[in-house]
Amino acid sequence: MSTPPTAKVTENAFLGLLWVGTGTSLCFTIFRLFVRLKSFRKLYSDDFLVIAAWAMLLGTAILWQIEAPTLYEQYAVGSGERPPSQEFIDRDIAFLRTIVPFTILFYSCLWSIKLSFLLFFRRLGSKVIGHNIWWWCVLVVTILTWVACVADIHYKCSLGSFKLIESKFASLARILANTQKRTANLWTL
């Protein structure tokens, strides 16, 4: 039988690290904008992508603040510390519904920073034709990888009905349990 995942850090530690990281990134973003305004007296398009990325990071942090209790309740139920209740199932379904916006915000935040770098490098080499050709190639690949990442999200699993989610998790749990048994048997040989 497979062992359920357990939390590696406490809920308070997780939320503390989350907000310390978000606050630190805010300080760096403000510093960047201050330097830009002081040096160039204006903001560039790459700066606005950094601001957008930070806003998405803040949205992600807010989602985790709201949903962290449910995540840690999942750990408690999965490890047998607490029996599942109907309220837990309702909260768990709501938690699964936040996985899609969380994941989209995560990818969009990360790709906003990538696009910010691309716009910065475009300004550096805007007069070089070979640089512009490669820049467009990298831009297209970057956008396509974002589309692929967002398209790869398990929408049916996160946004589907409870019956669908339950059946998928049950079959996945059986597959994982069988895989772990086979792996354990290999180690005992």
Side-chain angles (χ1 to χ4, degrees):
M1 183 166 184
S2 66
T3 58
T6 58
K8 304 293 185 215
V9 296
T10 66
E11 182 179 350
N12 289 336
F14 171 72
L15 292 174
L17 286 170
L18 172 77
W19 288 109
V20 165
T22 304
T24 303
S25 68
L26 175 63
C27 292
F28 280 114
T29 302
I30 290 171
F31 178 73
R32 173 197 172 111
L33 298 175
F34 173 76
V35 169
R36 275 298 167 103
L37 288 171
K38 194 80 168 157
S39 300
F40 301 109
R41 306 228 190 290
K42 67 177 184 174
L43 297 177
Y44 292 96
S45 52
D46 56 329
D47 297 315
F48 292 107
L49 281 171
V50 169
I51 293 168
W54 189 84
M56 288 181 256
L57 177 67
L58 178 63
T60 303
I62 291 169
L63 274 177
W64 273 121
Q65 179 70 42
I66 293 167
E67 294 299 333
T70 305
L71 175 67
Y72 280 85
E73 187 177 12
Q74 281 181 342
Y75 287 134
V77 169
S79 66
E81 294 173 22
R82 184 181 307 165
S85 63
Q86 184 57 45
E87 293 81 24
F88 165 74
I89 293 171
D90 295 339
R91 282 190 302 274
D92 199 40
I93 291 170
F95 176 74
L96 286 173
R97 302 231 187 290
T98 62
I99 296 297
V100 171
F102 168 76
T103 309
I104 291 173
L105 280 171
F106 169 75
Y107 285 132
S108 299
C109 176
L110 190 59
W111 262 255
S112 291
I113 297 300
K114 291 176 186 217
L115 291 172
S116 174
F117 278 118
L118 279 172
L119 290 175
F120 173 74
F121 288 122
R122 181 177 170 102
R123 267 198 342 268
L124 289 180
S126 61
K127 305 287 188 229
V128 180
I129 293 173
H131 180 271
N132 282 335
I133 292 169
W134 278 109
W135 185 87
W136 281 103
C137 293
V138 172
L139 176 68
V140 168
V141 168
T142 302
I143 291 171
L144 289 176
T145 55
W146 177 83
V147 169
C149 287
V150 170
D152 190 45
I153 297 170
H154 297 285
Y155 292 99
K156 283 184 181 178
C157 189
S158 292
L159 302 175
S161 69
F162 179 69
K163 296 285 185 203
L164 173 71
I165 294 168
E166 185 180 44
S167 68
K168 294 288 183 188
F169 281 150
S171 62
L172 179 61
R174 281 192 303 276
I175 292 169
L176 287 174
N178 288 335
T179 304
Q180 287 178 345
K181 281 180 192 173
R182 279 186 247 134
T183 306
N185 289 339
L186 285 174
W187 286 105
T188 58
L189 291 178

